[in-house]
Amino acid sequence: MLSQEQRAAILELSAQGVAKREIARLLGITRSSVRKVLRSKSSNAPALDRPEKAEPYRQQILDELVRCEGNLVRVHEELLAQGANLSYPALTAFCRRHGIAQTPKVPVGQYDFQPGEELQHDTSPHTVEIAGKKRKAQTASGVLCYSRMLYFQLYPTFQRFDCKVFLTDALGYFGGSPQKRVMIDNTHVVVLRGTGKDMVPVPEMAAFAERFGFQFAAHERGDANRSARVERGFHFIEHNFLAGRTFSSWEDLNTQARQWCDRVNATYKKHIRAVPRELFALERLHLKPLPAWIPEVYRLHQRTVDTEGYVALHTNRYSAPVDWIGRETKDKIHLQLDARHIVTHRRLTDAHDQRITLAQHRPPRGQGIKRGNPSPEEQQILAAVPEIADYLAALKQRGRKVLGLALRQLLRMVRDYPRTPLLAAVREATHYGLYDLDRLERMILRRIARDYFLLESGEHNDD
């Protein structure tokens, strides 16, 4: 069909005395089309006056839409089963023209932010190569909405502790906190209950926000555009910063990420037609100053020192001289008995089942633990049930638990359970090579239930 501009050009050229053949050649159309336009003497396209194939099935379409939950593919299948002669494109075109099962299109808007008004924060999963291995990582990002200043870091996991660590570092990087809010994506790390404007933050996170003078806010469900400032940066990070880069450690990764932020924030951005660092020069004047003293983010753990002089934390073991309380911070593990007795270890971010021993915790040569001598728990087990000596020796070699914990658990079972079912369960576990003490305990309990709680024959419940 000819457009209105083409029809107007035909009429204008004809009025200038140009022949129909020449008009058709100039506009690249057929002479019959030129003659039709000249006969109509109008530049408006003629209205289509033909019946729609789907019109006779309008009511059936409406009924099937409800039954098929709005799926037009299923509606078309049902119409064909009922004998309708209708193609799928004809059905979809009919529905579009008449607004059936169509979501109204709403023009997008935009959000304007004053300097220092809002910081948007979100996380996104990515894959990184660290020390030659592919690792899953959570990318935490923060963007100041006015200047588009970006700061991000990557973590093996992202829990409430990591969130506070990241936001503390981000606010330090920006040199201040937003005047009003930090916008989040209804994450359970911050949210206690509710969504959007009804969101209530976890008291721990609300107290953290109060320290820096802002409030957490969440956008409504499905309104991802509300956090577009931070969302659009993840694609840039994945396809620019992470592309082709390898890292020796998590510390190296986050050091390079910070340097990359410095470089990116100082480059011109076409979508804002400005340099973020230059806009930040104005925005920084409107940020709230940071507190004079910012306490280090920490996570408190209660731990008991085992018989070998170690405390266990996240599958790693750290040496300690006495029974102390452990506290975990961003990059250190503090083992503390009181204000005067403290030991500090470097925190292992991504290691598992490691043993970390400080030099001062090594006993003098000749005074260490004699490995040949059994521990007190082992001595008590062998004294009570010497029959399980072979199982105990194999458990020390093949057990998956920390040896001290395993020996204490086995000693408790020896003390708590009758000897006969205990020995029977140990014999069966030895036969099948089972050294999971939790499973061994269930085997003992099954035997106790079978052998010790049987009703006499002929007894019955009168109830």
Side-chain angles (χ1 to χ4, degrees):
M1 181 180 293
L2 299 180
S3 66
Q4 186 173 357
E5 290 78 7
Q6 288 175 312
R7 298 173 69 88
I10 291 171
L11 295 174
E12 184 177 350
L13 291 173
S14 179
Q16 295 175 6
V18 180
K20 298 182 183 66
R21 183 187 297 272
E22 185 64 16
I23 294 176
R25 189 186 66 79
L26 290 173
L27 299 182
I29 57 179
T30 62
R31 282 177 286 170
S32 60
S33 299
V34 175
R35 286 194 293 269
K36 289 179 182 179
V37 173
L38 294 178
R39 283 198 298 266
S40 68
K41 299 180 180 180
S42 173
S43 61
N44 296 325
L48 288 177
D49 187 15
R50 65 184 181 189
E52 297 185 272
K53 289 185 177 181
E55 184 61 40
Y57 309 107
R58 174 187 285 270
Q59 190 57 47
Q60 290 175 261
I61 293 172
L62 296 175
D63 294 340
E64 293 298 337
L65 270 173
V66 176
R67 198 166 67 86
C68 298
E69 300 179 357
N71 190 319
L72 284 178
V73 174
R74 288 287 300 118
V75 171
H76 183 245
E77 292 174 354
E78 293 297 325
L79 290 175
L80 293 181
Q82 297 171 19
N85 182 17
L86 183 67
S87 67
Y88 181 69
L91 171 63
T92 56
F94 175 79
C95 291
R96 283 196 300 272
R97 284 192 294 268
H98 295 273
I100 299 174
Q102 302 296 310
T103 303
K105 294 182 179 180
V106 180
V108 298
Q110 62 180 14
Y111 294 97
D112 294 320
F113 298 96
Q114 297 301 314
E117 179 181 356
E118 180 176 305
L119 168 71
Q120 291 183 1
H121 162 58
D122 201 0
T123 60
S124 179
H126 289 112
T127 300
V128 297
E129 184 175 336
I130 299 178
K133 295 182 179 179
K134 296 288 187 180
R135 303 302 307 272
K136 294 291 186 181
Q138 289 291 330
T139 304
S141 177
V143 177
L144 288 172
C145 292
Y146 176 78
S147 63
R148 316 294 180 94
M149 280 282 289
L150 168 68
Y151 179 79
F152 73 93
Q153 297 279 270
L154 291 96
Y155 303 90
T157 60
F158 198 76
Q159 302 171 351
R160 197 164 294 148
F161 168 74
D162 304 296
C163 181
K164 293 195 290 185
V165 167
F166 169 74
L167 289 177
T168 300
D169 291 345
L171 297 179
Y173 180 81
F174 297 135
S177 59
Q179 292 282 347
K180 294 185 178 181
R181 58 190 169 268
V182 170
M183 180 62 63
I184 60 172
D185 187 22
N186 292 295
T187 171
H188 69 279
V189 173
V190 176
V191 176
L192 175 64
R193 63 177 181 274
T195 60
K197 64 180 179 181
D198 299 322
M199 186 274 293
V200 177
V202 176
E204 177 185 350
M205 300 305 292
F208 174 83
E210 184 179 0
R211 175 184 301 160
F212 290 97
F214 65 84
Q215 292 183 339
F216 284 108
H219 64 68
E220 299 296 334
R221 286 192 180 276
D223 187 15
N225 290 332
R226 181 61 181 83
S227 58
R229 293 285 200 276
V230 67
E231 289 285 356
R232 70 180 299 162
F234 289 124
H235 182 274
F236 188 36
I237 292 170
E238 180 177 3
H239 293 88
N240 189 299
F241 173 69
L242 295 178
R245 281 188 171 91
T246 58
F247 311 95
S248 60
S249 64
W250 289 97
E251 292 77 9
D252 175 47
L253 167 59
N254 286 323
T255 299
Q256 291 193 41
R258 188 181 183 110
Q259 294 170 352
W260 187 81
C261 288
D262 292 338
R263 185 169 64 256
V264 167
N265 290 329
T267 58
Y268 179 83
K269 306 299 180 187
K270 290 189 294 185
H271 61 283
I272 60 174
R273 299 180 181 179
V275 177
R277 182 69 67 181
E278 295 175 356
L279 296 178
F280 178 69
L282 170 62
E283 185 168 30
R284 186 168 185 176
L285 301 176
H286 297 270
L287 296 176
K288 288 185 177 180
L290 297 176
W293 176 71
I294 302 176
E296 188 174 18
V297 179
Y298 68 88
R299 182 163 48 187
L300 192 65
H301 305 272
Q302 297 287 342
R303 290 293 185 269
T304 301
V305 179
D306 61 22
T307 56
E308 296 183 359
Y310 289 84
V311 295
L313 184 64
H314 305 322
T315 75
N316 297 311
R317 303 177 68 202
Y318 300 86
S319 63
V322 291
D323 295 344
W324 285 7
I325 296 175
R327 187 177 71 176
E328 176 184 7
T329 65
K330 175 187 174 183
D331 52 6
K332 293 183 177 63
I333 302 293
H334 301 285
L335 306 179
Q336 181 172 346
L337 175 64
D338 52 39
R340 295 179 179 84
H341 299 84
I342 187 168
V343 171
T344 301
H345 286 270
R346 178 176 172 272
R347 179 172 178 255
L348 298 182
T349 305
D350 195 36
H352 298 283
D353 302 317
Q354 299 296 310
R355 180 181 298 195
I356 300 91
T357 306
L358 297 180
Q360 59 266 34
H361 294 161
R362 297 184 183 276
R365 183 178 294 275
Q367 299 182 16
I369 298 175
K370 302 298 183 181
R371 296 300 177 184
N373 298 332
S375 66
E377 291 88 350
E378 184 177 355
Q379 294 176 8
Q380 296 177 47
I381 294 171
L382 293 175
V385 279
E387 297 89 342
I388 68 171
D390 293 340
Y391 180 82
L392 182 58
L395 175 66
K396 293 165 62 176
Q397 296 295 325
R398 301 173 59 183
R400 300 185 64 180
K401 285 191 175 181
V402 174
L403 181 59
L405 297 177
L407 292 176
R408 285 197 289 272
Q409 182 177 359
L410 185 58
L411 177 60
R412 176 183 58 79
M413 289 191 283
V414 168
R415 290 172 174 172
D416 292 349
Y417 299 133
R419 184 187 186 90
T420 301
L422 172 70
L423 292 178
V426 169
R427 282 195 296 272
E428 183 179 357
T430 303
H431 176 72
Y432 290 105
L434 302 177
Y435 299 99
D436 183 346
L437 293 184
D438 296 328
R439 187 171 179 181
L440 175 65
E441 188 166 13
R442 291 196 295 271
M443 295 164 61
I444 297 172
L445 292 173
R446 279 200 299 270
R447 283 171 167 76
I448 293 174
R450 183 184 63 198
D451 300 337
Y452 287 79
F453 296 96
L454 293 177
L455 294 176
E456 295 291 340
S457 61
E459 289 189 23
H460 58 85
N461 193 339
D462 294 334
D463 295 338

